[in-house]
C-alpha cells in the first residue's frame, strides 16, 4: 500500500479568496474554506486519481491500492485548481473530510469496511441539510444556517462510508433552470465558461464534469438533474418518485410546511452508469428517520445486452422545436443501437396529452409550492407575469386560483397521463427523447425578479428561431416529472464545436434498475459518440479559456 503522509494546511490557507469568477460575477457569501491553487500543489498522481470513477475509487481504497487520504487530497487539489473558474463548490468541509479519511484508512487497517463507499469523497447540492455544515440553498435568508441533523440522504451516504467533502452551488431555493444566486454567484460550464451549466443542480454537474467530485447528489422537480447533466456531458439519474427520501432537503425552508408533495426527487450525477447504480443502491432504502420509502422492483442478476432490446424514440414532443444538434444526436444514437442489434422504432404514447401534462405540472407546482399564497396574491402575480408565461403551457397555470376542487382535478389529470405513459412504456425497454432542444447556451440574464423567482422575458434561440426561455429549459423534462418514472440523462453526442449533447432515457415506474441496465449496455456505444475530456477532466473549450 502506497501511503501519503498528510499535513493539514494552516488557517491562512483555508481563507477563501472571493474574487470575481470567469463570468464577471462576484463570489461573495459565507466562508468557503477552499485553499488557493498556489498553496495546494497538484501531483501527477492527483491528476490520475481524479479521473477515476467513484466505483473504481471504492475498489482501490478497499483493496488498499489507494488510501482515502490520498483520494481526498487529490480532489481538494482539483477544487483548488479549478473552482475559481467554474464556481461549482460553495463550501469545502476540509478538516472534517481529512479526519474522516484518516479514520477510514485506520478502519481498513483493522479489517473494517464501513460500506460500499468506504473512504470515497462525494459532494452534495447546497440544498441538502448537512449536520454542522452551513446549508444555504443559495438563499440570503439561510446564509448562516447550520443544521443540527443531516438530510436522510446524507445520513445514508455517511453510513455507506462516503466522505461528504463539499457542498455544490444551486439556484436560489432550487428555483431556476440556471445555477446562480446572490450568495455565491454563477456556476460556469467546464466546457466553456461563457455557457450555463443549467440548473438548479448545476454545481453538481460542473463538479463532476471537471472531476472536482467523483459523485454528486442533486434534486429534480423540473429537470434540475437532467438538464445540467446534459449540458455538461455527464450521467444523471432522476429516480422514480418516492424511492429516495426527501427528508432534510430545502425547500422547504427549516420549520416550513413541505408543499411539494409530488414530482420532486433526489438523485445522483456521475461519470459512469456504474456510479449511478452504486449511488441508487445506497439511497433507495428506508431508514430510521424515513420508513415510507417505496421499494424498487427487484434488480436482475444478469446484465442487459443491446441485442434484442426494444427501444422507442421521438424527436419532437408536443410541437416543441428541437435544434439540429439534438436531432443529429438522436439519429446517431438510433443508428448505433440498430447496428448493435437493438430493435428501435419511432413511437409516442397513444392517449397521452403533452399540453395537459405540461399544464398539470404548472398547476401542481403552483398549488403545492404556493399553498400559502392567497388567490388575491395570485391575481396580482398573474398581472405581473402574464405576458411572460402566456405561451408557456407548463407555466401559465402556476398562478391559477387555488381550491380543493382544482387540486383534485390536477391530481386526477396527473393519474390519467401517468397511466397513458405507463401503458406505452410497457412495450419498450426505454424511450429516447431530448432533454432540451439545444446544447448549453450562453449565460442568460433574467429580466426582473418576482419574490425569489428570476423572470426571463428574453427568448433563447433554437436554430435561429426565438423560443421562450422556459420552453427551452423545461418542456422536455417536466413531462416526466408529472409521470414520476425514472429517467437517465445520458451524454449522447457532441456538436461540431465539441459541446456535449444529452438525451433522456425514460423507463417505467419502479423499474429503475432495468433502466440503468439499459443505460449501462449503451454506455460503450455512447462513449464513441460523445466528446472527450483532457487529462485534467476539463473540456477542451473550458481548458483553452482558462489557460
Amino acid at each position: 500500500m502506497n501511503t501519503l503522509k498528510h499535513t493539514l494546511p494552516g488557517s491562512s490557507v483555508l481563507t477563501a479568496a472571493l474574487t470575481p469568477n470567469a463570468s464577471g460575477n462576484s463570489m461573495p457569501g459565507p466562508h468557503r474554506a477552499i485553499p488557493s491553487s498556489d498553496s495546494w500543489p497538484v501531483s501527477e498522481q492527483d491528476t490520475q486519481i481524479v479521473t477515476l470513477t467513484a466505483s473504481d475509487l471504492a475498489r482501490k481504497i478497499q483493496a488498499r491500492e489507494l488510501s482515502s487520504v490520498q483520494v481526498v487530497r487529490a480532489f481538494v487539489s482539483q477544487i483548488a485548481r479549478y473552482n475559481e473558474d467554474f464556481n461549482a463548490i460553495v463550501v469545502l468541509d476540509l478538516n472534517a473530510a481529512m479526519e474522516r479519511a484518516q479514520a477510514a484508512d485506520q478502519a481498513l487497517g483493522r479489517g473494517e469496511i464501513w460500506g460500499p463507499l468506504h473512504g470515497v469523497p462525494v459532494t452534495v447540492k447546497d440544498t441538502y441539510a448537512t449536520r454542522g455544515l452551513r446549508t444555504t440553498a443559495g438563499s440570503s435568508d439561510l446564509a448562516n444556517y447550520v443544521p443540527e441533523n443531516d438530510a436522510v440522504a446524507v445520513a445514508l451516504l455517511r453510513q455507506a462510508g462516503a466522505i461528504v467533502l463539499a457542498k455544490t452551488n444551486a439556484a436560489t431555493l432550487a428555483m431556476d433552470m440556471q445555477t446562480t444566486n446572490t450568495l455565491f454567484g454563477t456556476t460556469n460550464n467546464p466546457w466553456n465558461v461563457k455557457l450555463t451549466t443549467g440548473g438548479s443542480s448545476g454545481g453538481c454537474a460542473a463538479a463532476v464534469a471537471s472531476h472536482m467530485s467523483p459523485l454528486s447528489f442533486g434534486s429534480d422537480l423540473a429537470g434540475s438533474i437532467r438538464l445540467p447533466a446534459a449540458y455538461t456531458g455527464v450521467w444523471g439519474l432522476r429516480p422514480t418518485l418516492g424511492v429516495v427520501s426527501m427528508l432534510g432537503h430545502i425547500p422547504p425552508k427549516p420549520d416550513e410546511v413541505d408543499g411539494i408533495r409530488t414530482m420532486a426527487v433526489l438523485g445522483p450525477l456521475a461519470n459512469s452508469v456504474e456510479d449511478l447504480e452504486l449511488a441508487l443502491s445506497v439511497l433507495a432504502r428506508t431508514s430510521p428517520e424515513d420508513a415510507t420509502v417505496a421499494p424498487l422492483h427487484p434488480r436482475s442478476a444478469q446484465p442487459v445486452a443491446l441485442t434484442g432490446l426494444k427501444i422507442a424514440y421521438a424527436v419532437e414532443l408536443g410541437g416543441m422545436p428541437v435544434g439540429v444538434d439534438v436531432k443529429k444526436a438522436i439519429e446517431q444514437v438510433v443508428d448505433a443501437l440498430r447496428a448493435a442489434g437493438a430493435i428501435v422504432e419511432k413511437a409516442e404514447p397513444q392517449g397521452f396529452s403533452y399540453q395537459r401534462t405540461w399544464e398539470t405540472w404548472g398547476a401542481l407546482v403552483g398549488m403545492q409550492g404556493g399553498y400559502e399564497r392567497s388567490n388575491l396574491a395570485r391575481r396580482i402575480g398573474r398581472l405581473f407575469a402574464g405576458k411572460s408565461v402566456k405561451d408557456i403551457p407548463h407555466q401559465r397555470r402556476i398562478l391559477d386560483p387555488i381550491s380543493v376542487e382544482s387540486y383534485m382535478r390536477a391530481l386526477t389529470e396527473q393519474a390519467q397521463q401517468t397511466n397513458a405513459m405507463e401503458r406505452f412504456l410497457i412495450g419498450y425497454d426505454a424511450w429516447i427523447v431530448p432533454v432540451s432542444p439545444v446544447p448549453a447556451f450562453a449565460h442568460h440574464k433574467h429580466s426582473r425578479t418576482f419574490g425569489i423567482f428570476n423572470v426571463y422575458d428574453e427568448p433563447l434561440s433554437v436554430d435561429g428561431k426565438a423560443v421562450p426561455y422556459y420552453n427551452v429549459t423545461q418542456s422536455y423534462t417536466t413531462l416526466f416529472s408529472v409521470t414520476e418514472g425514472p429517467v437517465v440523462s445520458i451524454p449522447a453526442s457532441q456538436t461540431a464545436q465539441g459541446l456535449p449533447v444529452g438525451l433522456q432515457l425514460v423507463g417505467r415506474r419502479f423499474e429503475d434498475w432495468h433502466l440503468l441496465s439499459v443505460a449501462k449496455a449503451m454506455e460503450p456505444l455512447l462513449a464513441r459518440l460523445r466528446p472527450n475530456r483532457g487529462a485534467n477532466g476539463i473540456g477542451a473549450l473550458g481548458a483553452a479559456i482558462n489557460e
Side-chain angles (χ1 to χ4, degrees):
M1 174 177 155
N2 188 10
T3 304
L4 182 68
K5 185 177 180 181
H6 171 69
T7 302
L8 285 174
S11 58
S12 61
V13 174
L14 298 179
T15 302
L18 300 180
T19 56
N21 65 18
S23 288
N25 297 305
S26 62
M27 297 168 62
H31 180 58
R32 295 185 178 211
I34 299 173
S36 68
S37 56
D38 292 340
S39 64
W40 199 279
V42 181
S43 70
E44 183 178 346
Q45 185 183 43
D46 289 340
T47 301
Q48 295 170 349
I49 287 173
V50 298
T51 59
L52 296 173
T53 66
S55 300
D56 285 338
L57 290 169
R59 283 188 285 265
K60 287 182 178 295
I61 289 171
Q62 291 181 32
R64 305 187 74 180
E65 296 174 15
L66 288 172
S67 71
S68 178
V69 167
Q70 284 176 298
V71 172
V72 169
R73 280 186 62 91
F75 283 98
V76 172
S77 296
Q78 190 80 346
I79 291 169
R81 186 177 183 186
Y82 288 112
N83 195 60
E84 186 175 340
D85 292 314
F86 303 143
N87 194 28
I89 304 299
V90 296
V91 177
L92 180 67
D93 200 13
L94 179 56
N95 288 331
M98 290 306 309
E99 289 173 5
R100 173 87 164 163
Q102 290 167 343
D105 291 335
Q106 291 165 2
L108 283 177
R110 299 189 299 269
E112 299 173 8
I113 296 178
W114 294 338
L117 284 167
H118 184 108
V120 177
V122 301
T123 56
V124 298
K125 188 175 179 179
D126 194 29
T127 53
Y128 287 60
T130 42
R131 182 185 68 251
L133 183 64
R134 185 178 286 108
T135 301
T136 75
S139 170
S140 57
D141 291 343
L142 300 173
N144 297 303
Y145 173 59
V146 179
E148 295 181 1
N149 298 297
D150 283 330
V152 168
V154 174
L156 289 172
L157 287 168
R158 295 195 205 272
Q159 290 167 21
I163 297 172
V164 179
L165 177 61
K167 310 291 288 291
T168 61
N169 205 20
T172 305
L173 293 176
M175 294 295 179
D176 199 341
M177 303 311 291
Q178 296 182 85
T179 298
T180 187
N181 60 68
T182 57
L183 281 180
F184 298 113
T186 299
T187 297
N188 300 316
N189 196 312
W191 293 92
N192 184 334
V193 295
K194 297 179 181 179
L195 306 181
T196 184
T197 57
S200 61
S201 305
C204 295
V208 171
S210 60
H211 290 301
M212 290 190 284
S213 174
L215 183 60
S216 197
F217 294 85
S219 55
D220 187 311
L221 171 63
S224 289
I225 289 172
R226 292 164 285 165
L227 192 74
Y231 284 176
T232 60
V234 303
W235 297 85
L237 170 65
R238 176 194 161 90
T240 297
L241 182 87
V243 305
V244 175
S245 176
M246 289 285 294
L247 289 181
H249 183 268
I250 300 172
K253 290 182 181 179
D255 302 323
E256 282 187 350
V257 172
D258 185 4
I260 301 294
R261 310 304 299 179
T262 62
M263 302 190 296
V265 302
L266 306 185
L269 297 91
N271 280 310
S272 74
V273 180
E274 184 183 20
D275 284 359
L276 297 184
E277 292 177 322
L278 176 58
L280 187 64
S281 71
V282 169
L283 295 188
R285 60 182 63 207
T286 59
S287 67
E289 298 80 15
D290 191 352
T292 67
V293 171
L296 289 169
H297 292 170
R299 184 176 187 177
S300 172
Q302 300 300 319
V304 166
L306 288 178
T307 303
L309 280 182
K310 192 172 182 182
I311 307 290
Y313 76 96
V315 178
E316 291 187 1
L317 302 179
M320 291 295 174
V322 171
V324 64
D325 287 321
V326 177
K327 289 179 180 178
K328 181 180 177 182
I330 294 174
E331 291 171 359
Q332 289 177 329
V333 171
V334 166
D335 289 345
L337 284 169
R338 285 175 173 156
I343 301 165
V344 187
E345 58 189 38
K346 194 172 186 178
E348 296 182 51
Q350 297 298 308
F352 182 85
S353 170
Y354 298 107
Q355 292 293 324
R356 293 208 304 271
T357 303
W358 281 318
E359 290 183 352
T360 297
W361 183 88
L364 288 173
V365 167
M367 287 186 280
Q368 294 181 353
Y371 65 88
E372 83 293 356
R373 190 175 298 120
S374 70
N375 283 337
L376 174 61
R378 289 169 179 274
R379 285 194 292 271
I380 295 171
R382 179 169 287 283
L383 289 173
F384 179 86
K387 186 180 294 186
S388 299
V389 301
K390 66 183 179 67
D391 297 323
I392 304 164
H394 49 281
Q395 293 281 329
R396 59 187 174 222
R397 289 190 59 193
I398 284 182
L399 293 171
D400 276 3
I402 188 171
S403 68
V404 173
E405 180 183 1
S406 61
Y407 187 45
M408 293 301 105
R409 288 185 181 278
L411 290 175
T412 299
E413 188 69 61
Q414 181 186 26
Q416 291 173 347
Q417 299 305 323
T418 299
N419 187 32
M421 182 64 70
E422 288 292 301
R423 291 200 310 269
F424 167 69
L425 291 171
I426 285 172
Y428 298 97
D429 292 287
W431 189 29
I432 296 171
V433 297
V435 174
S436 168
V438 293
F441 50 87
H443 293 293
H444 196 65
K445 286 189 66 66
H446 59 273
S447 309
R448 50 210 161 94
T449 58
F450 179 56
I452 65 167
F453 299 99
N454 293 328
V455 179
Y456 295 87
D457 293 325
E458 292 300 315
L460 294 167
S461 175
V462 179
D463 291 350
K465 179 181 178 181
V467 178
Y469 170 87
Y470 302 98
N471 283 347
V472 170
T473 58
Q474 294 181 341
S475 289
Y476 284 95
T477 50
T478 51
L479 293 168
F480 306 108
S481 298
V482 173
T483 57
E484 298 183 340
V487 184
V488 178
S489 185
I490 63 175
S493 186
Q494 62 181 325
T495 69
Q497 293 74 35
L499 293 175
V501 179
L503 300 174
Q504 291 184 102
L505 197 66
V506 182
R508 299 187 296 276
R509 292 189 310 158
F510 303 104
E511 291 284 0
D512 302 46
W513 289 122
H514 180 67
L515 186 67
L516 285 170
S517 294
V518 174
K520 197 170 189 177
M522 293 173 61
E523 190 170 15
L525 175 152
L526 297 175
R528 298 194 293 270
L529 302 177
R530 67 178 189 259
N532 294 315
R533 283 173 285 182
N536 294 321
I538 308 302
L541 291 176
I545 287 171
N546 289 304
E547 286 177 353

